[in-house]
Amino acid sequence: MIVVAGEALIDLVPDRPGPWAPLHPRPGGGPYNTALALGRLGSRTAFLSRLSEDGYGTALLAGLSGAGVDVSGVQRGPEPTTLALASVAPDGGAGYAFYGEGTADRLFTAPDRLPAGTRAVSFGTCSLVLEPGASAYERVLHRAHRDGVLTVLDPNVRPALIPDAEAHRARFRSWLPSVDLLKLSVEDARWLGGAPTDWLAAGPAAVVLTRGADGLSVHTRAGEEVRVPAVRVRVVDTIGAGDTVTAALLHRLAAHDALGAGALAAFPRSGWTDVLGFAARAAALTCTRRGADAPTAAEVAAS
């Protein structure tokens, strides 16, 4: 079982670049996208979050269930669903403005335990910023690591949500001793400061960097660096591409039986080449579709 912990929200996605393009509601939120992508890839997945009882929250829950994701750990509440207004640049890059004051997802409370059979748990994005939920997710992270569960962090930085940048950077560093796999974009890396060697020294066994058109790389505590190129496609937008990478990494690591405490430390170079290549193909397919629309395992295999 792979557990994804974090927010689910609604992305309001324009149907073309430009300020006056019509907006279309689509399911989103980094953790939600990751859980949905894992379900589509065929991984046994559970989602840990708090969703609104409104129509959007019900639709988000139905989307997860439709992808085969276990939603028994999802809490519900009467507060509204968080909205994210996406803007798409001519090159397909996306920016976001968030409307999350008093919304359901930020009132998440930490459960007593993870689902039985949990081998890995993934965290990231808004859920680690917005209180009081952020502190609850943080407790789940530290407890999972203490219990020997593989922990994954995708900070997926949204500066507009962070009132004190230096405090958040310090908090990020405080998570690293409890993180086994750190995955982040080069933009996140620049904002957070530091380098893979710094982060590896703080705790993670491996750091995966997504580099846009320049592909993906992994840096390991053993001193390995493996790179794979991006798959060239016609980009519609990049919404959800990074979340697809996180899901694809976990799905393919599971196929190599590399989930669990200490498994990444001994993972071979050839294994990383396969895992990163699979993630690059999955992310490329997501970029050919509007909004966060991850592929199935059969689509990745055919690409």
Side-chain angles (χ1 to χ4, degrees):
M1 172 76 77
I2 298 171
V3 173
V4 182
E7 82 280 354
L9 51 79
I10 293 296
D11 286 330
L12 300 175
V13 181
D15 63 7
R16 63 179 183 275
W20 305 115
L23 299 173
H24 302 276
R26 293 182 178 272
Y32 180 91
N33 296 339
T34 298
L36 194 72
L38 277 163
R40 289 183 179 178
L41 289 171
S43 284
R44 186 166 168 250
T45 308
F47 191 52
L48 199 61
S49 186
R50 188 173 188 274
L51 300 185
S52 175
E53 295 167 346
D54 66 13
Y56 281 143
T58 299
L60 288 164
L61 199 68
L64 290 168
S65 297
V69 177
D70 181 348
V71 296
S72 60
V74 174
Q75 304 160 18
R76 304 296 298 274
E79 305 82 12
T81 297
T82 297
L83 302 178
L85 177 59
S87 58
V88 179
D91 65 357
Y96 301 90
F98 292 90
Y99 299 87
E101 198 64 40
T103 50
D105 57 289
R106 66 192 301 171
L107 298 178
F108 169 81
T109 57
D112 292 334
R113 62 184 63 86
L114 292 172
T118 298
R119 300 182 65 200
V121 59
S122 176
F123 302 84
T125 319
C126 310
S127 55
L128 288 172
V129 175
L130 300 175
E131 295 290 4
S135 292
Y137 285 113
E138 189 176 71
R139 287 193 292 276
V140 177
L141 167 67
H142 292 310
R143 187 176 66 207
H145 188 264
R146 286 196 304 270
D147 290 345
V149 175
L150 181 80
T151 53
V152 181
L153 173 64
D154 176 7
N156 205 1
V157 177
R158 302 294 185 228
L161 288 175
I162 300 171
D164 187 334
E166 285 309 310
H168 188 72
R169 291 180 181 113
R171 192 173 193 181
F172 163 73
R173 292 190 293 271
S174 78
W175 297 328
L176 295 180
S178 293
V179 174
D180 296 304
L181 174 61
L182 174 64
K183 174 260 166 185
L184 69 173
S185 68
V186 290
E187 294 82 8
D188 290 338
R190 281 196 292 268
W191 192 92
L192 289 165
T197 51
D198 303 321
W199 305 321
L200 289 165
V207 175
V208 171
L209 281 172
T210 60
R211 302 172 177 273
D214 293 325
L216 294 89
S217 66
V218 64
H219 302 255
T220 72
R221 199 184 299 155
E224 293 272 17
E225 180 181 353
V226 180
R227 291 190 180 225
V228 301
V231 177
R232 303 298 174 182
V233 293
R234 181 180 177 275
V235 175
V236 173
D237 64 48
T238 61
I239 296 171
D243 309 320
T244 298
V245 168
T246 304
L249 291 172
L250 283 164
H251 176 77
R252 201 63 171 178
L253 285 168
H256 285 273
D257 197 25
L259 297 183
L264 293 185
F267 198 59
R269 185 181 185 89
S270 59
W272 278 119
T273 300
D274 174 73
V275 168
L276 294 180
F278 182 86
R281 295 193 301 276
L285 287 170
T286 301
C287 289
T288 66
R289 305 166 175 179
R290 192 164 306 283
D293 188 0
T296 64
E299 289 173 321
V300 179
S303 66

